[in-house]
Amino acid sequence: MRRMAWLVVFLLVPVFAVAEMPPDENIKAVAESWLAKKPAKGFGVTMSMSEAAVVQTRYTALISKDLGDVVGYKAGLTNPAVQKRFGYDKPIRGTLFAKMILPGPARVPAAFGSRPVYEADMVAVVGDAAKAMTATSPLEALMALKEIRPFIELADMAFDPQIKMDGPSLMAANVGARLGVLGDPVFLPGTLESVEKLAAVKIEVIDQTGTVVGGGKGADLLNNPLNVVLWIAESLKAEGKTLKNGDLLSLGSFAALLPTKRGSAITVRYTGLAPVPVEVTVTFE
């Protein structure tokens, strides 16, 4: 009777998936799908975030052979709305390579990836890496930057729609980095007024008809985009790495990730950073 009671208790206890590393052949298969611009079948396991970081290193080594040098980093899940979508409440970091970055305005195939989407983003360019690595406040982070640049990220969700993406799987797949369109620089003095401008800046995503299809404000990213700069520096420091002068830091999505459509032209407009609004545009062919 006692054995039966223990059996009942065992059956009532929830069974949780055990995190594990995917085999190398699974990582290779996802990388080959990315290179072929075909949806991947997933890594095949449930990973912890520390395991996903190891997988990302192996994965990027496979996909980046023809992408040029590392030119910076991408922060993902810096917006609570995007965190909710992926069920993970902390930022994650990916790597940007030279051939991922396109000057705006740009013309890009609508099918630039396996599951292409675009998002309104922002890039901070590191001016003084030593200061950036020791900054402890938004103002100090701003003083370590060379410039702010409009940015439309062209991300790739990579996996078959039947595969549920969570925080670790997104992390392992280099946070969906594929391409991005970079706008002209905006130079902000290192003042508290500039810090406040970055929190208050209004972002609009506008299609070719003039319709606003999305948007947000600077404070949507960890309360201020400069907090993302601080987070990236801290995350690198924790791994014994450092920023370099000129690094591009993609700070996250101000609006929902939207699917591409052939023939559409998307402009992201930033109001409040400069005396007149600044923009960057991509056209999908």
Side-chain angles (χ1 to χ4, degrees), residues 4-28:
M4 182 62 73
W6 276 109
L7 178 60
V8 170
V9 170
F10 175 78
L11 292 174
L12 290 176
V13 172
V15 178
F16 296 99
V18 178
E20 58 180 312
M21 284 287 293
D24 286 343
E25 56 264 32
N26 289 23
I27 300 172
K28 183 179 179 182

Side-chain angles (χ1 to χ4, degrees), residues 48-166:
S48 68
M49 194 54 77
S50 60
E51 288 164 339
V54 174
V55 173
Q56 185 191 111
T57 299
R58 297 178 183 176
Y59 171 80
T60 53
L62 293 170
I63 68 168
S64 63
K65 293 177 182 178
D66 295 320
L67 292 178
D69 294 333
V70 172
V71 294
Y73 301 94
K74 170 189 175 178
L77 306 187
T78 54
N79 186 323
V82 183
Q83 290 178 351
K84 185 176 181 180
R85 171 176 174 175
F86 290 97
Y88 192 77
D89 64 356
K90 295 179 179 62
I92 57 178
R93 194 188 76 238
T95 302
L96 299 176
F97 297 91
K99 291 185 181 179
M100 290 180 169
I101 308 301
L102 308 173
R107 304 184 73 88
V108 178
F112 62 77
S114 53
R115 287 184 60 203
V117 295
Y118 66 89
E119 59 184 79
D121 199 326
M122 178 184 287
V123 156
V125 182
V126 177
D128 188 325
K131 285 184 179 179
M133 293 302 297
T134 57
T136 59
S137 69
L139 179 58
E140 289 179 358
L142 177 61
M143 293 173 70
L145 299 180
K146 177 184 178 183
E147 62 205 29
I148 296 292
R149 302 186 73 163
F151 190 57
I152 301 176
E153 185 180 1
L154 307 179
D156 192 342
M157 291 297 95
F159 300 122
D160 186 287
Q162 301 302 315
I163 303 295
K164 180 175 174 56
M165 288 187 73
D166 58 9

Side-chain angles (χ1 to χ4, degrees), residues 198-255:
L198 280 163
V201 60
K202 178 183 178 182
I203 296 94
E204 296 173 291
V205 183
I206 305 164
D207 71 11
Q208 68 280 1
T209 71
T211 302
V212 176
V213 297
K217 60 183 182 301
D220 290 337
L221 304 188
L222 301 185
N223 297 318
N224 191 306
L226 294 167
N227 287 327
V228 184
V229 176
L230 293 171
W231 179 85
I232 291 174
E234 284 298 316
S235 73
L236 288 168
K237 192 185 302 182
E239 297 176 13
K241 301 176 182 178
T242 186
L243 290 166
K244 305 186 303 296
N245 290 350
D247 272 348
L248 307 178
L249 308 182
S250 167
L251 304 182
S253 177
F254 292 102

